Amino acid sequence: MASATVLVVGSGPTGLSLAYDLTRRGVPVRIIDRQKQFTTASRGKAGVQPRTLEVFDDFGIIDRLFKAGTQRLPFRRFLRDQLISEVVPYEDNSPRPDAPYRRMLYIRQNDVEEILRGLLSEAGCEVQRNTTLTGFTQTDTAVVATLEGASGTEEAEFGYLVGCDGGGSTVRKQLGLEFRGFTDNSQWLYVGDVEVDGLPNDAWYQWYDLERGLLLLCPLPGSRSWQIQASAPAAPDGTIPPPSLEALQDAVDRISGMPIKLSNPTWLSVNKKNVRIVDSLRSGRVLLAGDAAHVHPVAGALGANTGVQDAYNLGWKLARVIRNGAHQSLLSTYQEERLPIAEWTLRTSLASADRIAEAVIGGKGGAEAGLTEETMQLGLNYRDSCLSWNLAAHGGDDSPGIRAGDRAPDSPCSDGTRLFDVFRGPQTTLLGMGAGCREAVARVNSVGIAGLRTLALEERPATYGYTEDTLVLVRPDGYVGLVTTADDSAGVLKYLDFLQAPHSLQGR
């Protein structure tokens, strides 16, 4: 049924996450990418943050990711050939009952994409390569996309189109959306994947030389390659010479003063500092996610993480509109919730870059200064969303407990399982926290609502902080939608009705 399909443009982590989330919810998806062959370039190698690891836990691929990466990578800082310091970011962040993932996973972006492609294939959907979106039109009921592929030009009709096609997004440009912000043309970096002789591959080596420039050499797990980032000096005419093995070797010799030899470059590029964001994530039946909607400095390691979380927010809402007949106003909550997060991401990445610069200038550190509790993204919330209802005083503004709009914490259960085991999958989850919730949970359960899982707990999990028995509704993306009293089955049913047509009620 062509009117109930989604075209996803771009097969990076954002597009792949969205395509899988829709596919597992029974939504027919077509995902395209202009590449003829999938890239092996490391690109965004900095890491997968804890909140994104929770998303991938829900997808069931966490073990595959851990096998391909590492959570322990020392940051080894030098001045010329002298070791200055060595630190391991997040080393003291042991798992907690509310958060099993509190360390970043260092893994090549291409490895993340390969694992996601495999997951998507297992679900019955394949990325269509060598296919480019050249244009589209939309009506009130459909989007007609023009596609160029190996077999020629095709026009295809879809219910929705989502642009996950990066900072140069064709989808964003055709929508005519302003990509407001700035580009700093004074800071250029060579970046590439090379092999390195002369260093053990047990740390991320960092040189922050205020006179000679920046040099970062990071081994890539599961590979002989390292990612190099190095200051790109301008030519006399102000231009930046194209990246080459010779230019990178010159940077290594100039900045490190060590007998380090580079070879076998498999990917070379030049990066500049872009800080940009759109004012709208949706225009009718066309939406944007990831770098197509917001780009920012790499400091803080937030890039692909924010894109995956965009997809995770959008997937269940788009599926509910297509499969369950929810009103399109539900899609407006995607922008309501994610645009403030995108703005937070830009602010936080700039602040992280400033912290790194201050640490370098003060001789007190390097890239680790940009990694904080905040950049783990576990504290992000949607408290101001129309989908966040606090109907109990003990879940209100002055409560120390978890509120509607907060990330739903994990917790061990008395039967040996964990709440994350209960949440895993595409459903909404109603939790009765305390024996006083049993009757209300049973009443809601008796209605037979599709896509709703219920669990009556005898105890109130300490990670939620409630002093009274409480009903908690957890959205499919792992955020709390509703907090209400133990007997308020009517409030739960009203909230679930509201999800079908968010324009019709004020909620809260």
Side-chain angles (χ1 to χ4, degrees):
M1 52 189 196
S3 62
T5 59
V6 177
L7 175 64
V8 176
V9 182
S11 69
T14 302
L16 290 166
S17 295
L18 179 60
Y20 173 69
D21 206 22
L22 289 169
T23 300
R24 71 171 175 164
R25 298 176 194 280
V27 176
V29 173
R30 185 172 176 185
I31 177 170
I32 63 170
D33 199 292
R34 67 177 60 195
Q35 297 180 94
K36 292 183 179 180
Q37 300 293 331
F38 296 124
T39 183
T40 59
S42 62
R43 293 168 295 159
K45 63 91 187 65
V48 182
Q49 291 285 8
R51 176 55 191 157
T52 308
L53 291 174
E54 293 182 350
V55 175
F56 291 149
D57 181 305
D58 177 36
F59 285 0
I61 56 173
I62 196 72
D63 290 341
R64 303 183 206 181
L65 290 162
F66 282 153
K67 185 176 180 180
T70 180
Q71 286 196 287
R72 192 183 190 281
L73 184 67
F75 286 19
R76 198 169 287 164
R77 188 163 60 95
F78 283 77
L79 180 62
R80 299 293 280 169
D81 60 352
Q82 298 299 309
L83 177 65
I84 301 300
S85 65
E86 181 171 317
V87 297
V88 180
Y90 297 151
E91 186 171 32
D92 296 331
N93 286 13
S94 298
R96 296 189 315 220
D98 66 316
Y101 310 113
R102 300 188 62 244
R103 295 173 181 147
M104 193 163 64
L105 177 69
Y106 300 91
I107 182 173
R108 296 182 297 173
Q109 182 173 319
N110 58 298
D111 286 336
V112 174
E113 292 172 1
E114 183 177 359
I115 290 168
L116 284 169
R117 283 197 304 271
L119 180 68
L120 184 61
S121 179
E122 291 165 13
C125 180
E126 303 285 347
V127 177
Q128 184 177 348
R129 292 177 288 178
N130 195 24
T131 303
T132 302
L133 175 75
T134 59
F136 61 86
T137 58
Q138 63 172 315
T139 66
D140 291 340
T141 59
V143 180
V144 178
T146 302
L147 307 175
E148 290 283 350
S151 58
T153 303
E154 171 193 2
E155 283 198 348
E157 183 177 290
F158 301 90
Y160 294 88
L161 185 155
V162 186
C164 305
D165 48 343
S169 173
T170 298
V171 177
R172 184 191 67 244
K173 291 174 181 177
Q174 178 152 341
L175 287 174
L177 297 176
E178 181 184 0
F179 210 24
R180 58 181 175 84
F182 67 91
T183 299
D184 186 346
N185 287 307
S186 67
Q187 299 183 31
W188 292 79
L189 281 179
Y190 289 135
V191 60
D193 292 345
V194 296
E195 293 184 15
V196 173
D197 290 318
L199 292 173
N201 64 346
D202 61 346
W204 186 0
Y205 296 82
Q206 304 176 6
W207 288 261
Y208 297 93
D209 192 314
L210 299 179
E211 295 182 359
R212 297 178 178 85
L214 168 74
L215 172 64
L216 306 175
L217 286 167
C218 183
L220 299 171
S223 167
R224 289 177 52 85
S225 292
W226 299 53
Q227 186 181 97
I228 182 172
Q229 294 167 276
S231 298
D237 62 358
T239 62
I240 302 298
S244 65
L245 181 62
E246 292 73 23
L248 292 173
Q249 186 66 60
D250 285 345
V252 168
D253 296 342
R254 181 182 73 252
I255 298 170
S256 77
M258 295 172 66
I260 300 168
K261 294 302 178 186
L262 309 181
S263 62
N264 193 26
T266 55
W267 169 63
L268 297 175
S269 187
V270 181
N271 284 352
K272 56 186 175 182
K273 182 178 179 181
N274 274 317
V275 184
R276 296 187 179 276
I277 190 172
V278 294
D279 290 320
S280 178
L281 298 179
R282 177 185 173 216
S283 177
R285 289 174 171 267
V286 181
L287 303 102
L288 297 174
D291 286 355
H294 42 77
V295 294
H296 50 84
V298 298
L302 299 173
N305 292 279
T306 302
V308 168
Q309 292 167 46
D310 283 350
Y312 199 49
N313 183 284
L314 177 59
W316 71 271
K317 296 173 181 178
L318 197 51
R320 189 173 284 263
V321 170
I322 294 171
R323 295 276 298 176
N324 302 104
H327 193 273
Q328 282 202 31
S329 56
L330 181 60
L331 298 181
S332 297
T333 69
Y334 167 61
Q335 174 166 308
E336 178 187 358
E337 294 181 344
R338 292 306 297 175
L339 202 53
I341 298 298
E343 292 167 346
W344 171 90
T345 302
L346 266 63
R347 292 193 305 271
T348 302
S349 62
L350 286 169
S352 292
D354 288 343
R355 283 194 296 271
I356 293 171
E358 290 171 6
V360 168
I361 292 171
K364 299 177 180 178
E368 73 280 356
L371 299 174
T372 65
E373 286 286 316
E374 190 176 25
T375 59
M376 292 164 63
Q377 299 182 298
L378 295 175
L380 296 178
N381 68 76
Y382 305 133
R383 289 184 176 183
D384 295 328
S385 168
C386 72
L387 298 185
S388 300
W389 292 20
N390 291 296
L391 303 184
H394 54 279
D397 292 351
D398 298 327
S399 169
I402 294 298
R403 291 169 50 188
D406 290 348
R407 163 190 162 273
D410 195 9
S411 177
C413 300
S414 58
D415 63 358
T417 62
R418 306 187 64 85
L419 285 184
F420 274 14
D421 298 328
V422 178
F423 300 157
R424 192 175 295 113
Q427 76 287 327
T428 301
T429 305
L430 174 64
L431 298 174
M433 297 194 171
C437 299
R438 280 181 292 187
E439 290 187 11
V441 171
R443 285 195 296 271
V444 172
N445 204 37
S446 69
V447 177
I449 299 171
L452 177 67
R453 178 180 295 170
T454 61
L455 177 66
L457 299 168
E458 291 299 312
E459 72 278 3
R460 295 190 297 270
T463 59
Y464 282 71
Y466 298 132
T467 57
E468 301 176 36
D469 291 355
T470 303
L471 292 170
V472 176
L473 194 88
V474 180
R475 304 175 355 173
D477 59 354
Y479 283 84
V480 174
L482 169 72
V483 177
T484 193
T485 55
D487 61 349
D488 190 19
S489 57
V492 174
L493 295 173
K494 182 180 180 182
Y495 180 86
L496 292 171
D497 283 342
F498 178 78
L499 290 182
Q500 289 299 103
H503 71 301
S504 63
L505 297 170
Q506 290 303 309
R508 288 184 291 232

